[in-house]
Amino acid sequence: MSKTEVGFNEQHRLQYHFSPKEMWMNDPNGMVYYDGEYHLFFQHTPHTSTPDFPNMHWGHAISTDMVHWKELPPAIAPDEHGAIFSGSAVVDYNNTAGLQSGKDKTLISIFTYSPANGVQNQGMAYSNDRGRTWVKYENNPVLQNQGIADFRDPKVFWYERDQKWFMTLAVKDHVELYSSPDLKFWTKESEFGQSIGAHGGIWECPDLFSLSDGNGAEKWVMLVSINPGGPNGGSATQYFIGDFDGHKFTAEHSDIRWLDNGPDNYAGVTWSNVKRRKLLLGWMSNWEYSQIVPTNKWRGAMTVPRELELVKIDGQTYVASMPVSELNTLHESKGLKAGLALNSSVDLAETYDIQPSKFDLSFTIENKPFELKLSNDDGEYLLVGYDLGNREFYIDRRRAGKTSFSDAFGRRNTAKRISNDGNIEIRLLVDVSSIELFTDDGEVVMTSLFFPNSDFTHLELSTESKTTLKGFEINEMKSIW
Ligand code: FRU
């Protein structure tokens, strides 16, 4: 199909990130891999491009590579128990819930019911046809509110050691852990978080999973999204590293850590049922202005999928995230691997014949300040760089186009470097109205939206003094639509 038939060529429409064809989208939900397909459900109101919370559905898209997506009709709709808020999905391999009816394993989603009175409960739905149709469980809700209205976003995982299910649930200012033999009856195991981490806002969308630390040892990671109270204002996702003993999660550090320091990555959680990789994507927006960003036909996009790993820096373990390798299939054949001698400034778009509204750039630079300037002929520009004196990366979107829709949008956002290594590694993904900066192999990440009045046509890279960039590679990205 041509682009015009599909639509997806509107101003600001991302060309290689998932966004719904039309209307509102927020959090990713129910991410599960089954039978060769990645499922991505999402918070969606099918008839409004601003969130109509009482009418919140689970939208649905599928992909075989997390890059090319096919949007399907909304999967789960509100009912007498309330709107369908965020949650997760699992494959019930052992038929613990007894709901399997054919040869396919049952996919089970656990989500929050948000009723008109705001007192939230958890509900369940299941699919015996590879996620195409969903039936609500007859005895919903499966977990009743304990007296705190903010009681939501169940993320369920199978705990192999004890052969049972666990659920993390966000309860106002902490996470509660529940266990279950069958996904239907849940027992509270423990609480985490009242006196640790960032508390500038309410806790939402937790996720608990194990990762290998590269030396064969296993650590547990707890993700917690928080709104507001993020490092650059509004909503953001923090993480904790620690241990889970089959009842309780304990963090091994007391400092606050962010999965992404930029303003526009929220509510990200990992895919269920993916062996050997931990894959995540987030909602590429911020509750401070998500409802009024200047896209009207649709509102909301996801980040690129990212693979999570543990890394050690000065004896401390951190979570690093990098774009999944599947994205490389979108590279136009302009890729170039070499050393690039840089003498003050070069326009990369002109030199390599790149359309700088959608590209993937990587290089390694000595520990020096540098700046990339994306600009158009209307005098609008976006700045991305490293400030050596303050040891911080920045994305400055103050003059990058439309900002007046919100006071919270037109800012220069920063993130401290963690690594003390001499060289700085940069990977930068730009897609029409989004930028994702991965530094030092994903130790510090920044995701940001921007809305230029016309596409950027120049991409200038400058440094204060002569240097040679190593591993330089730039590729225009193909559209997925
Ligand atoms: C996070 C969130 C969740 C909630 C959903 C409602 O962005 O507020 O806590 O379930 O969005 O759409």
Side-chain angles (χ1 to χ4, degrees):
M1 260 192 279
S2 78
K3 263 183 162 191
T4 19
E5 279 168 289
V6 187
F8 285 108
N9 56 359
E10 306 90 346
Q11 191 184 27
H12 307 311
R13 176 73 91 167
L14 297 113
Q15 293 298 306
Y16 63 93
H17 288 76
F18 178 75
S19 59
K21 187 167 183 205
E22 48 188 18
M23 305 303 164
W24 170 261
M25 176 177 81
N26 56 296
D27 311 359
N29 294 153
M31 297 150 82
V32 62
Y33 179 76
Y34 180 63
D35 195 23
E37 292 175 330
Y38 292 91
H39 291 265
L40 169 62
F41 300 90
F42 49 90
Q43 289 286 280
H44 185 47
T45 51
H47 305 292
T48 53
S49 56
T50 49
D52 167 16
F53 289 107
N55 197 29
M56 197 58 88
H57 288 58
W58 273 24
H60 191 193
I62 50 170
S63 171
T64 55
D65 62 1
M66 295 175 285
V67 174
H68 298 87
W69 292 99
K70 181 172 183 216
E71 192 174 342
L72 299 176
I76 309 179
D79 60 37
E80 70 278 11
H81 298 293
I84 313 296
F85 275 19
S86 289
S88 53
V90 292
V91 182
D92 189 7
Y93 276 107
N94 303 328
N95 197 21
T96 60
L99 295 168
Q100 190 175 327
S101 60
K103 68 173 183 11
D104 280 313
K105 299 294 174 193
T106 309
L107 301 188
I108 298 194
S109 64
I110 315 279
F111 50 82
T112 297
Y113 269 125
S114 198
N117 66 8
V119 179
Q120 298 166 339
N121 298 300
Q122 316 319 315
M124 181 166 120
Y126 59 97
S127 168
N128 279 313
D129 59 358
R130 299 162 57 247
R132 296 316 190 265
T133 57
W134 291 82
V135 180
K136 303 252 181 56
Y137 176 54
E138 58 187 359
N139 294 324
N140 272 336
V142 291
L143 178 58
Q144 294 267 8
N145 195 289
Q146 310 290 300
I148 300 180
D150 295 301
F151 187 68
R152 60 175 174 269
D153 308 339
K155 177 79 164 74
V156 173
F157 67 95
W158 176 250
Y159 187 51
E160 190 62 34
R161 193 193 79 181
D162 295 354
Q163 296 286 297
K164 57 184 179 182
W165 300 101
F166 271 85
M167 174 201 290
T168 51
L169 197 71
V171 186
K172 198 175 173 178
D173 62 351
H174 64 277
V175 175
E176 295 188 352
L177 268 144
Y178 292 79
S179 69
S180 170
D182 55 7
L183 298 162
K184 298 171 181 167
F185 297 95
W186 292 93
T187 309
K188 186 169 166 180
E189 295 275 352
S190 59
E191 296 187 357
F192 167 77
Q194 277 98 340
S195 53
I196 191 170
H199 281 278
I202 198 162
W203 281 25
E204 299 182 317
C205 302
D207 190 5
L208 178 63
F209 52 87
S210 65
L211 271 180
S212 156
D213 73 353
N215 301 319
E218 186 181 62
K219 296 213 183 237
W220 286 79
V221 176
M222 176 82 85
L223 305 181
V224 179
S225 283
I226 170 176
N227 177 40
N232 279 292
S235 42
T237 302
Q238 59 181 324
Y239 72 85
F240 302 87
I241 296 179
D243 187 38
F244 173 59
D245 64 3
H247 300 283
K248 194 176 182 343
F249 173 78
T250 315
E252 66 180 32
H253 57 96
S254 54
D255 56 323
I256 294 168
R257 299 183 183 177
W258 301 101
L259 192 66
D260 189 318
N261 285 266
D264 295 309
N265 180 0
Y266 193 59
V269 288
T270 56
W271 253 287
S272 169
N273 197 37
V274 174
K275 308 275 178 280
R276 290 181 296 278
R277 294 168 87 189
K278 274 294 157 198
L279 304 170
L280 167 142
L281 54 68
W283 172 44
M284 199 155 50
S285 198
N286 188 313
W287 279 117
E288 274 198 309
Y289 45 71
S290 56
Q291 321 193 11
I292 45 171
V293 292
T295 65
N296 297 321
K297 187 176 161 196
W298 87 98
R299 261 203 197 88
M302 297 302 178
T303 67
V304 290
R306 301 169 183 191
E307 184 162 352
L308 305 184
E309 274 184 7
L310 295 180
V311 292
K312 261 220 159 122
I313 308 162
D314 298 336
Q316 289 275 323
T317 311
Y318 294 85
V319 177
S321 31
M322 284 297 279
V324 297
S325 55
E326 285 86 340
L327 278 162
N328 299 349
T329 60
L330 296 179
H331 286 171
E332 291 279 9
S333 55
K334 290 177 181 166
L336 174 136
K337 274 201 182 90
L340 175 71
L342 197 63
N343 196 355
S344 72
S345 165
V346 58
D347 187 334
L348 298 173
E350 199 181 274
T351 312
Y352 298 107
D353 189 22
I354 293 288
Q355 168 45 255
S357 58
K358 49 180 174 64
F359 65 90
D360 179 355
L361 167 68
S362 7
F363 60 82
T364 301
I365 186 168
E366 291 169 75
N367 192 18
K368 293 188 176 198
F370 68 87
E371 188 168 82
L372 275 146
K373 182 179 182 184
L374 276 145
S375 59
N376 59 22
D377 292 330
D378 298 336
E380 297 168 345
Y381 57 88
L382 177 80
L383 302 173
V384 191
Y386 182 59
D387 172 345
L388 182 68
N390 290 316
R391 283 185 57 81
E392 65 191 18
F393 298 99
Y394 58 87
I395 298 180
D396 184 345
R397 59 182 176 187
R398 286 176 293 184
R399 307 267 177 280
K402 298 167 189 164
T403 57
S404 61
F405 56 88
S406 163
D407 289 345
F409 192 82
R411 290 184 183 157
R412 179 181 184 275
N413 295 311
T414 60
K416 287 275 179 226
R417 189 172 186 214
I418 303 175
S419 177
N420 283 313
D421 196 45
N423 288 331
I424 304 174
E425 276 155 24
I426 294 297
R427 174 95 182 260
L428 191 71
L429 290 169
V430 166
D431 185 7
V432 183
S433 56
S434 74
I435 179 163
E436 292 162 280
L437 171 68
F438 302 86
T439 72
D440 297 325
D441 280 328
E443 283 163 24
V444 174
V445 178
M446 295 183 83
T447 301
S448 176
L449 297 172
F450 56 88
F451 299 100
N453 282 294
S454 63
D455 283 353
F456 288 140
T457 46
H458 306 288
L459 172 59
E460 243 173 279
L461 173 60
S462 47
T463 52
E464 273 174 11
S465 54
K466 252 190 178 168
T467 185
T468 300
L469 305 182
K470 293 192 201 119
F472 179 86
E473 177 165 359
I474 188 162
N475 283 284
E476 210 170 294
M477 293 293 266
K478 291 178 195 141
S479 170
I480 59 169
W481 307 119

